[in-house]
Amino acid sequence: MNDADPLGLSAEEMRGMAHETVDMVIDLLADLGSLPAQRRATPEEMEARLPATPPAGPVPFEQILSDVREKVIPFGCLNGHPRFFAFVPGGGTFPGMLGDFIASAVNFEVSSWMEAAGPSRVESIVIDWFKEWISYPSGAAGVLVSGGSAANLTALACAREAIAGPMRDDLVIYASDQAHSSVARAARALGFRPAQLRVLPSDDDFRLRPDALRGAIAADRSDGLTPFAVCASAGSTNTGAVDPLPVLAGICEQEELWLHVDGAYGGFASMTERGGRLMRGLKRADSVTLDPHKWFYQPFECGCLLVREGRLLDDAFRISPHYLKDTAGHQGEVNFADRGLQLSRMARALKVWMSVNAFGSDAFRSAIDRSLDLACLAQRRIEQSKELELLSPARLGIVCFRRRFGGGRSEEEAEELNSRLVAALDESGYGLVSSTRLRGRYAIRLCVLNHTSSEDDVLGVLDWLQRAEIDVDASPPRPGASSEPDADLDRGLPADWAADQGSLSAIQRIPLFEGLSSEQRDALVRDSRLRSAAAGEELTTRWSAGRDFFVILEGRAAVELEDGAPRELGPGEFFGELAALDWGAGYGYVRTATVSALEPLLLLVVPAERLNAMIVEVPALAAVIEAAVRERLPRS
């Protein structure tokens, strides 16, 4: 230690610590496949291992490193594990790790060219590489950020500033129900209210439907609103689906909307021949999100936003206070703080630049192609199995499936058994997969992204999931509720619904609400209202906004579907559940059907917030709503 500098170390001390640390890291990476892909621990267990009290004096470095090795690293997901197929794996490269080491050691601050000409030049080079690989124009501009969530937020902020300036209540954003949750988070952070983000249904291949987009835009314009941005996916997190980018680009150009493409997951597939075919139209987007810490094999954190008309990025974010006048750029200089939310920034580009120089860009193309091949191998293996069921084919490294567990099982039983299968693989330590929902059906999701994964790793995990012993008899069916109307439904409901205690008994007679406690019934009465409708009156219009949930108390209603097959609903039945469900951050679907009164109607109108609360609290009600989603969403 250095007496003159209480935080200083001698060159010999630093070299010794670094050697010990690098040796530990290399030993870990060399033997990663023999370790559990994930190991869980409770907060209490971790508190016992790592007490919170800070030491007043120094702890020997050997002890610090031992605690990291024994008490920190083992308890978490090893993203680079060859059988880590959950979420989005993050297997980095060793040169990338060294890039982060150097950036942290030198502690570059890359907000301005004046402070960091070298790192700024490296970031400019990396941005130019990315532009070339997705066929973006030379006049585009970009910035490296923490990840896809930050890039999507930055993109929407740039779009709003370019098109509308300050926040307005009439602006509307459109996204598919397969869009990443960060789109909802970004919208909420930027001040877009629940009625200002339209969640549109996807098609049979889980892609945003152009007809739904056109219909929603027309409906909003007729209501005096201002459509301004579409968020498309170039590789959705659920299935790897790529939205029809050329068609969406044409719609946005015709309607004068900003097209943002979230390519955080799949954008770098553009580097390969088959990936490039999937990404046709990407170059027409106004902005594109990329994530080098996903399919470009960089250590966390590293995301990127590219904007086609580069000056718009600077226009949206450049602020020049007096204390930064010294950093004002000259001709050709780039101040990356002028292109995003951060002022102080680390040198994220160094790891990318070192990785590409160490391996060459062709090596990254080969690694991406290999992941695509392994996902196709997984699909073939699933299709050849009598025990496994394919739910979504291999797209950009993602395959969705589940185990059958014998025929005749309800959806609830299938979900219960498959969720226990996923948990059992997690507990085994052999590998890791995650789950999702597709059209309301539980799915096991296998994501092949690690450059360390082999055919044996993919087939080994699938074999494990096919053969693992799960006690099927220990899986009781989830509580459900009949959706048939009750013949004794109370037809004498008072006009002053919330004030009359008779409304409580009326709710009890509605089959959907049979499982509610007295407190939940009280809350439902308090928050809901009655509505009457005359014969022929339109209650919901396809592609329009509105999130109320309706239960028919008297009369009959007609549901107009796109396939031309009208459906009738009567007392005790419901509609509007899709729009009422919380897709994320308080945003929900547009109306996906037109519903009209066939005869005079009396309706119970339940706010979306109350329905979503009941779904969480009442399993029986949740089961009925989930069944309706499975039945109706593909037909909407």
Side-chain angles (χ1 to χ4, degrees):
M1 301 292 179
N2 188 333
D3 291 337
D5 179 2
L7 301 179
L9 296 169
S10 68
E12 182 179 350
E13 289 172 316
M14 289 188 287
R15 188 169 288 109
M17 289 180 178
H19 283 169
E20 290 182 61
T21 302
V22 170
D23 285 345
M24 181 196 74
V25 169
I26 292 175
D27 288 343
L28 172 71
L29 296 178
D31 199 32
L32 203 60
S34 67
L35 301 173
Q38 173 173 266
R39 186 175 171 190
R40 297 176 185 264
T42 66
E44 293 76 17
E45 291 170 340
M46 291 310 302
E47 185 177 354
R49 291 186 179 99
L50 295 167
T53 305
V59 175
F61 189 72
E62 294 79 6
Q63 180 59 52
I64 298 172
L65 208 59
S66 175
D67 284 347
V68 171
R69 182 176 56 247
E70 305 296 333
K71 300 178 181 179
V72 177
I73 291 175
F75 300 100
C77 293
L78 297 178
N79 280 276
H81 194 287
R83 291 183 298 282
F84 184 101
F85 299 126
F87 312 117
V88 180
T93 65
F94 194 74
M97 183 212 79
L98 296 178
D100 268 350
F101 174 77
I102 294 170
S104 295
V106 180
N107 205 22
F108 287 120
E109 200 281 285
V110 195
S111 61
S112 69
W113 185 278
M114 184 204 83
E115 296 173 279
S120 295
R121 172 58 182 162
V122 169
E123 186 161 346
S124 296
I125 291 171
V126 167
I127 293 293
D128 283 344
W129 287 346
F130 293 171
K131 286 156 51 177
E132 178 185 350
W133 292 337
I134 71 165
S135 301
Y136 231 34
S138 59
V143 62
L144 295 187
V145 294
S146 59
S149 295
N152 287 337
L153 173 63
T154 307
L156 286 178
C158 179
R160 190 188 68 190
E161 287 299 310
I163 292 176
M167 187 64 194
R168 297 189 342 225
D169 289 343
D170 64 314
L171 301 176
V172 182
I173 305 170
Y174 304 89
S176 160
D177 58 10
Q178 300 300 303
H180 192 265
S181 60
S182 62
V183 172
R185 185 178 292 113
R188 183 168 66 180
L190 291 170
F192 289 90
R193 300 173 189 234
Q196 292 180 268
L197 173 61
R198 302 280 183 266
V199 181
L200 304 175
S202 52
D203 63 17
D204 291 342
D205 293 322
F206 301 100
R207 307 185 309 162
L208 193 156
R209 291 169 47 183
D211 66 311
L213 177 60
R214 290 191 183 96
I217 291 171
D220 285 331
R221 289 202 193 280
S222 68
D223 287 339
L225 300 175
T226 305
F228 96 100
V230 174
C231 294
S233 295
S236 68
T237 305
N238 259 354
T239 65
V242 178
D243 288 335
L245 301 179
V247 178
L248 298 180
I251 294 173
C252 288
E253 290 162 5
Q254 180 181 9
E255 297 282 351
E256 298 184 342
L257 272 61
W258 183 286
L259 175 60
H260 173 64
V261 176
D262 180 0
Y265 177 74
F268 281 109
S270 297
M271 296 179 68
T272 69
E273 183 179 349
R274 53 185 151 169
R277 290 195 297 269
L278 287 172
M279 299 294 163
R280 286 187 312 108
L282 184 61
K283 62 183 180 181
R284 296 169 62 184
D286 294 289
S287 56
V288 177
T289 286
L290 300 170
D291 249 5
H293 66 212
K294 290 188 175 71
W295 226 344
F296 205 70
Y297 308 108
Q298 298 305 304
F300 298 116
E301 301 168 345
C302 192
C304 177
L305 173 68
L306 300 178
V307 176
R308 162 179 285 278
E309 194 172 341
R311 66 171 181 82
L312 297 178
L313 195 54
D314 290 87
D315 291 347
F317 293 101
R318 184 191 292 113
I319 296 177
S320 300
H322 291 299
Y323 52 80
L324 292 179
K325 292 299 182 184
D326 294 341
T327 67
H330 297 87
Q331 184 67 33
E333 297 179 357
V334 178
N335 288 348
F336 281 101
D338 292 339
R339 295 184 175 181
L341 300 171
Q342 283 185 272
L343 181 59
S344 299
R345 307 170 67 252
M346 68 176 295
R348 292 191 178 94
L350 191 59
K351 55 189 169 190
V352 182
W353 184 83
M354 288 181 64
S355 292
V356 174
N357 278 282
F359 295 111
S361 57
D362 284 348
F364 287 89
R365 290 186 177 89
S366 296
I368 294 169
D369 260 329
R370 190 163 171 269
S371 294
L372 296 173
D373 288 339
L374 290 176
C376 291
L377 172 69
Q379 176 181 335
R380 292 194 297 272
R381 171 68 178 80
I382 293 165
E383 289 175 323
Q384 292 166 1
S385 169
K386 294 181 179 179
E387 289 79 15
L388 302 178
E389 175 187 9
L390 184 70
L391 298 181
S392 178
R395 294 189 184 96
L396 292 179
I398 298 175
V399 186
C400 294
F401 64 101
R402 63 182 178 182
R403 187 161 148 185
R404 298 180 191 275
F405 287 104
R409 297 191 180 277
S410 69
E411 187 63 35
E412 289 75 18
E413 289 175 312
E415 176 175 341
E416 174 66 25
L417 290 168
N418 277 278
S419 64
R420 287 205 274 123
L421 182 64
V422 169
L425 177 62
D426 178 0
E427 292 169 6
S428 76
Y430 178 71
L432 198 69
V433 293
S434 54
S435 67
T436 188
R437 283 188 176 278
L438 303 178
R439 306 295 184 209
R441 303 172 72 196
Y442 182 93
I444 298 174
R445 179 181 166 281
L446 184 142
C447 181
V448 186
L449 212 71
N450 282 328
H451 57 83
T452 61
S453 299
S454 67
E455 290 189 7
D456 288 343
D457 293 314
V458 171
L459 296 177
V461 166
L462 291 175
D463 286 344
W464 195 101
L465 292 169
Q466 176 178 305
R467 297 173 181 171
E469 294 185 4
I470 301 294
D471 186 359
V472 296
D473 295 326
S475 175
R478 293 186 175 186
S482 170
S483 60
E484 293 299 317
D486 190 330
D488 296 324
L489 184 68
D490 188 344
R491 296 178 180 272
L493 296 175
D496 191 2
W497 167 261
D500 194 297
Q501 290 302 308
S503 59
L504 290 175
S505 61
I507 280 183
Q508 288 176 303
R509 295 173 182 272
I510 299 173
L512 181 64
F513 302 133
E514 285 177 349
L516 269 61
S517 68
S518 59
E519 292 81 6
Q520 290 160 345
R521 289 195 298 270
D522 287 341
L524 177 60
V525 169
R526 182 188 66 241
D527 295 342
S528 302
R529 69 184 191 278
L530 290 181
R531 175 181 171 180
S532 60
E537 183 176 342
E538 196 170 89
L539 301 163
T540 68
T541 305
R542 185 183 299 126
W543 311 137
S544 66
R547 300 197 59 201
D548 286 336
F549 173 69
F550 299 88
V551 181
I552 298 176
L553 304 176
E554 293 181 0
R556 303 194 68 79
V559 181
E560 298 177 29
L561 303 173
E562 289 180 287
D563 60 10
R567 181 162 50 95
E568 289 189 14
L569 299 176
E573 296 185 290
F574 56 84
F575 60 93
E577 73 286 344
L578 292 176
L581 293 179
D582 188 357
W583 177 78
Y587 301 106
Y589 277 92
V590 295
R591 296 295 188 190
T592 56
T594 297
V595 181
S596 303
L598 287 173
E599 57 192 49
L601 282 176
L602 182 64
L603 300 151
L604 176 64
V605 184
V606 183
E609 296 79 9
R610 173 50 47 200
L611 178 67
N612 282 284
M614 291 190 298
I615 285 173
V616 172
E617 298 166 358
V618 187
L621 183 144
V624 175
I625 297 296
E626 289 170 4
V629 169
R630 286 194 296 271
E631 175 194 357
R632 297 174 181 178
L633 185 56
R635 299 171 58 192
S636 300

CSV table of all heavy atoms in Angstrom, one decimal, residues 139-143 158 161 307 309-320 333-340:
chain,number,residue,atom,x,y,z
A,139,GLY,N,-24.9,8.5,-44.2
A,139,GLY,CA,-25.3,9.7,-43.4
A,139,GLY,C,-26.0,9.4,-42.1
A,139,GLY,O,-26.3,10.3,-41.4
A,140,ALA,N,-26.2,8.1,-41.8
A,140,ALA,CA,-26.8,7.8,-40.5
A,140,ALA,C,-25.8,8.0,-39.4
A,140,ALA,O,-24.6,8.1,-39.6
A,140,ALA,CB,-27.2,6.3,-40.5
A,141,ALA,N,-26.3,8.2,-38.2
A,141,ALA,CA,-25.5,8.4,-37.0
A,141,ALA,C,-25.9,7.4,-36.0
A,141,ALA,O,-27.0,6.8,-36.0
A,141,ALA,CB,-25.7,9.8,-36.5
A,142,GLY,N,-25.0,7.1,-35.0
A,142,GLY,CA,-25.3,6.2,-34.0
A,142,GLY,C,-24.6,6.5,-32.7
A,142,GLY,O,-23.8,7.4,-32.6
A,143,VAL,N,-25.0,5.7,-31.6
A,143,VAL,CA,-24.4,5.8,-30.3
A,143,VAL,C,-24.5,4.5,-29.6
A,143,VAL,O,-25.4,3.7,-29.8
A,143,VAL,CB,-25.1,6.9,-29.5
A,143,VAL,CG1,-26.6,6.6,-29.3
A,143,VAL,CG2,-24.4,7.2,-28.2
A,158,CYS,N,-36.0,10.4,-29.7
A,158,CYS,CA,-35.6,11.0,-30.9
A,158,CYS,C,-36.7,11.2,-31.9
A,158,CYS,O,-36.9,12.3,-32.5
A,158,CYS,CB,-34.4,10.2,-31.6
A,158,CYS,SG,-33.8,10.9,-33.1
A,161,GLU,N,-39.1,14.0,-30.7
A,161,GLU,CA,-38.5,15.3,-30.9
A,161,GLU,C,-38.6,15.7,-32.3
A,161,GLU,O,-38.8,16.9,-32.7
A,161,GLU,CB,-37.1,15.4,-30.3
A,161,GLU,CG,-37.0,15.4,-28.8
A,161,GLU,CD,-37.7,16.6,-28.2
A,161,GLU,OE1,-37.4,17.7,-28.6
A,161,GLU,OE2,-38.5,16.4,-27.3
A,307,VAL,N,-29.6,5.9,-36.3
A,307,VAL,CA,-30.7,6.8,-36.8
A,307,VAL,C,-30.4,7.1,-38.2
A,307,VAL,O,-29.3,7.6,-38.5
A,307,VAL,CB,-30.9,8.0,-35.9
A,307,VAL,CG1,-32.0,8.9,-36.6
A,307,VAL,CG2,-31.3,7.6,-34.5
A,309,GLU,N,-31.4,9.4,-40.5
A,309,GLU,CA,-31.0,10.8,-40.7
A,309,GLU,C,-30.2,11.3,-39.5
A,309,GLU,O,-30.8,11.8,-38.5
A,309,GLU,CB,-32.3,11.7,-40.9
A,309,GLU,CG,-32.0,13.0,-41.5
A,309,GLU,CD,-33.2,13.8,-41.9
A,309,GLU,OE1,-34.3,13.1,-42.1
A,309,GLU,OE2,-33.1,15.0,-42.1
A,310,GLY,N,-28.9,11.2,-39.5
A,310,GLY,CA,-28.1,11.4,-38.4
A,310,GLY,C,-28.2,12.6,-37.6
A,310,GLY,O,-28.2,12.6,-36.3
A,311,ARG,N,-28.5,13.7,-38.2
A,311,ARG,CA,-28.6,15.0,-37.5
A,311,ARG,C,-29.8,15.0,-36.5
A,311,ARG,O,-29.7,15.8,-35.5
A,311,ARG,CB,-28.8,16.2,-38.6
A,311,ARG,CG,-30.1,16.1,-39.3
A,311,ARG,CD,-30.4,17.4,-40.1
A,311,ARG,NE,-31.7,17.3,-40.8
A,311,ARG,CZ,-32.8,17.5,-40.2
A,311,ARG,NH1,-32.9,17.9,-38.9
A,311,ARG,NH2,-34.0,17.4,-40.9
A,312,LEU,N,-30.8,14.2,-36.8
A,312,LEU,CA,-32.0,14.2,-35.9
A,312,LEU,C,-31.6,13.7,-34.5
A,312,LEU,O,-32.2,14.1,-33.5
A,312,LEU,CB,-33.1,13.3,-36.4
A,312,LEU,CG,-33.7,13.8,-37.8
A,312,LEU,CD1,-34.7,12.8,-38.3
A,312,LEU,CD2,-34.3,15.2,-37.6
A,313,LEU,N,-30.6,12.8,-34.4
A,313,LEU,CA,-30.1,12.3,-33.1
A,313,LEU,C,-29.5,13.4,-32.3
A,313,LEU,O,-29.7,13.6,-31.2
A,313,LEU,CB,-29.1,11.1,-33.4
A,313,LEU,CG,-28.8,10.2,-32.2
A,313,LEU,CD1,-30.1,9.7,-31.5
A,313,LEU,CD2,-27.9,9.1,-32.6
A,314,ASP,N,-28.6,14.2,-33.0
A,314,ASP,CA,-28.0,15.3,-32.3
A,314,ASP,C,-29.0,16.4,-32.0
A,314,ASP,O,-29.0,17.0,-30.9
A,314,ASP,CB,-26.9,16.0,-33.2
A,314,ASP,CG,-25.7,15.0,-33.3
A,314,ASP,OD1,-25.7,14.2,-34.2
A,314,ASP,OD2,-24.8,15.2,-32.5
A,315,ASP,N,-30.0,16.7,-32.9
A,315,ASP,CA,-31.0,17.7,-32.6
A,315,ASP,C,-31.8,17.3,-31.4
A,315,ASP,O,-32.3,18.2,-30.6
A,315,ASP,CB,-31.9,17.8,-33.8
A,315,ASP,CG,-31.2,18.5,-35.0
A,315,ASP,OD1,-30.1,19.0,-34.8
A,315,ASP,OD2,-31.8,18.4,-36.1
A,316,ALA,N,-32.0,16.0,-31.2
A,316,ALA,CA,-32.9,15.6,-30.1
A,316,ALA,C,-32.2,15.7,-28.7
A,316,ALA,O,-32.9,15.9,-27.7
A,316,ALA,CB,-33.4,14.2,-30.3
A,317,PHE,N,-30.9,15.6,-28.7
A,317,PHE,CA,-30.2,15.4,-27.4
A,317,PHE,C,-29.1,16.5,-27.1
A,317,PHE,O,-28.7,16.6,-25.9
A,317,PHE,CB,-29.6,14.0,-27.3
A,317,PHE,CG,-30.6,12.9,-27.2
A,317,PHE,CD1,-30.9,12.2,-28.3
A,317,PHE,CD2,-31.3,12.7,-26.1
A,317,PHE,CE1,-31.8,11.2,-28.3
A,317,PHE,CE2,-32.2,11.7,-26.0
A,317,PHE,CZ,-32.5,10.9,-27.1
A,318,ARG,N,-28.7,17.2,-28.1
A,318,ARG,CA,-27.6,18.1,-27.8
A,318,ARG,C,-28.0,19.3,-26.9
A,318,ARG,O,-29.0,20.0,-27.1
A,318,ARG,CB,-27.0,18.8,-29.1
A,318,ARG,CG,-25.8,19.7,-28.9
A,318,ARG,CD,-25.5,20.5,-30.1
A,318,ARG,NE,-24.9,19.6,-31.2
A,318,ARG,CZ,-25.6,19.4,-32.3
A,318,ARG,NH1,-26.8,20.0,-32.5
A,318,ARG,NH2,-25.1,18.7,-33.3
A,319,ILE,N,-27.3,19.4,-25.8
A,319,ILE,CA,-27.5,20.5,-24.8
A,319,ILE,C,-26.1,21.0,-24.5
A,319,ILE,O,-25.2,20.2,-24.2
A,319,ILE,CB,-28.2,20.0,-23.6
A,319,ILE,CG1,-29.6,19.6,-23.9
A,319,ILE,CG2,-28.3,21.1,-22.5
A,319,ILE,CD1,-30.4,19.0,-22.7
A,320,SER,N,-25.9,22.3,-24.4
A,320,SER,CA,-24.6,22.9,-24.2
A,320,SER,C,-24.5,23.9,-23.1
A,320,SER,O,-24.6,25.1,-23.3
A,320,SER,CB,-24.1,23.6,-25.5
A,320,SER,OG,-24.1,22.7,-26.6
A,333,GLU,N,-15.3,16.2,-35.5
A,333,GLU,CA,-15.3,15.6,-34.2
A,333,GLU,C,-16.7,15.2,-33.8
A,333,GLU,O,-17.7,15.9,-34.2
A,333,GLU,CB,-14.7,16.6,-33.2
A,333,GLU,CG,-13.3,17.0,-33.4
A,333,GLU,CD,-12.7,18.0,-32.4
A,333,GLU,OE1,-13.5,18.5,-31.5
A,333,GLU,OE2,-11.6,18.3,-32.5
A,334,VAL,N,-16.8,14.2,-33.0
A,334,VAL,CA,-18.1,13.7,-32.5
A,334,VAL,C,-18.1,13.7,-31.0
A,334,VAL,O,-17.2,13.1,-30.4
A,334,VAL,CB,-18.4,12.3,-33.0
A,334,VAL,CG1,-19.7,11.8,-32.4
A,334,VAL,CG2,-18.4,12.2,-34.5
A,335,ASN,N,-19.1,14.4,-30.4
A,335,ASN,CA,-19.3,14.3,-29.0
A,335,ASN,C,-20.5,13.4,-28.7
A,335,ASN,O,-21.7,13.7,-29.0
A,335,ASN,CB,-19.6,15.7,-28.4
A,335,ASN,CG,-18.4,16.6,-28.4
A,335,ASN,OD1,-17.3,16.2,-28.5
A,335,ASN,ND2,-18.6,17.9,-28.1
A,336,PHE,N,-20.2,12.2,-28.3
A,336,PHE,CA,-21.3,11.1,-28.2
A,336,PHE,C,-22.3,11.5,-27.1
A,336,PHE,O,-23.4,10.9,-27.2
A,336,PHE,CB,-20.7,9.8,-28.0
A,336,PHE,CG,-20.1,9.2,-29.3
A,336,PHE,CD1,-18.8,9.2,-29.5
A,336,PHE,CD2,-21.0,8.6,-30.2
A,336,PHE,CE1,-18.3,8.7,-30.7
A,336,PHE,CE2,-20.5,8.1,-31.4
A,336,PHE,CZ,-19.1,8.1,-31.7
A,337,ALA,N,-22.0,12.3,-26.2
A,337,ALA,CA,-23.0,12.8,-25.2
A,337,ALA,C,-24.1,13.5,-25.9
A,337,ALA,O,-25.2,13.7,-25.3
A,337,ALA,CB,-22.3,13.6,-24.1
A,338,ASP,N,-23.8,14.1,-27.1
A,338,ASP,CA,-24.9,14.8,-27.8
A,338,ASP,C,-25.9,13.9,-28.5
A,338,ASP,O,-26.8,14.4,-29.2
A,338,ASP,CB,-24.2,15.8,-28.9
A,338,ASP,CG,-23.5,16.9,-28.2
A,338,ASP,OD1,-23.7,17.2,-27.0
A,338,ASP,OD2,-22.6,17.5,-28.9
A,339,ARG,N,-25.7,12.6,-28.4
A,339,ARG,CA,-26.5,11.6,-29.2
A,339,ARG,C,-27.4,10.7,-28.3
A,339,ARG,O,-27.9,9.7,-28.7
A,339,ARG,CB,-25.6,10.8,-30.1
A,339,ARG,CG,-24.9,11.6,-31.1
A,339,ARG,CD,-24.1,10.7,-32.1
A,339,ARG,NE,-23.6,11.4,-33.2
A,339,ARG,CZ,-22.8,10.9,-34.2
A,339,ARG,NH1,-22.6,9.5,-34.2
A,339,ARG,NH2,-22.3,11.6,-35.1
A,340,GLY,N,-27.4,11.0,-27.0
A,340,GLY,CA,-28.2,10.2,-26.1
A,340,GLY,C,-28.4,10.8,-24.7
A,340,GLY,O,-28.2,12.0,-24.5
